Amino acid sequence: QVSLVESGGGLVQPGGTLRLSCAASGRILSIDFMAWYRQAPGNERELVAGITSDESTNYADSVKGRFTISRDNAKNTVHLQMNDLKPEDTAVYYCNADVLTTMPPWGTRSINYWGQGTQVTVSS
């Protein structure tokens, strides 16, 4: 019904920059909260940044001042601009969104979706 597809991950040197994108498609009426999570091997999945429909944002302490989350409601996309990347940023980054969609026969419902993830590796 709804899918989230991430892109923009890759290998970058410490201090480098990457821009992640997440595009939502399907039966989408609107999207409320959108967020980026990440999970490194052996670690729990953690919230990196989130953004509400009214553009309110929040960030994990470890990325404040370096990462910026933004959204384009017309395109149902969310982006994560990552500057001054550090080795500890290495992880699989996942897009997450609360999507207002149709769910027959009940009608309109808000459902949480996850993307498949994109690998970010910061290494020299």
Side-chain angles (χ1 to χ4, degrees):
Q1 185 178 14
V2 174
S3 64
L4 306 179
V5 180
E6 301 98 335
S7 62
L11 175 64
V12 66
Q13 294 183 336
T17 297
L18 285 174
R19 180 176 171 86
L20 304 183
S21 298
C22 173
S25 62
R27 298 189 181 97
I28 300 170
L29 300 178
S30 63
I31 302 177
D32 189 9
F33 185 71
M34 303 188 78
W36 287 96
Y37 289 75
R38 68 185 181 188
Q39 186 168 25
N43 293 345
E44 295 182 344
R45 189 171 299 186
E46 64 174 346
L47 176 66
V48 177
I51 185 168
T52 66
S53 59
D54 63 356
E55 308 295 326
S56 178
T57 60
N58 67 288
Y59 299 90
D61 289 341
S62 60
V63 306
K64 286 181 179 177
R66 298 188 296 120
F67 290 10
T68 302
I69 189 170
S70 61
R71 62 189 291 167
D72 185 339
N73 292 330
K75 298 180 179 180
N76 290 324
T77 58
V78 62
H79 305 280
L80 186 67
Q81 180 69 40
M82 304 186 295
N83 299 327
D84 191 25
L85 284 161
K86 304 178 183 298
E88 49 264 45
D89 295 319
T90 296
V92 177
Y93 284 70
Y94 297 91
C95 180
N96 180 265
D98 290 326
V99 179
L100 186 66
T101 185
T102 58
M103 182 67 69
W106 298 281
T108 301
R109 296 292 181 89
S110 181
I111 302 175
N112 185 260
Y113 290 92
W114 288 95
Q116 292 294 101
T118 185
Q119 178 70 49
V120 171
T121 302
V122 185
S123 176
S124 59

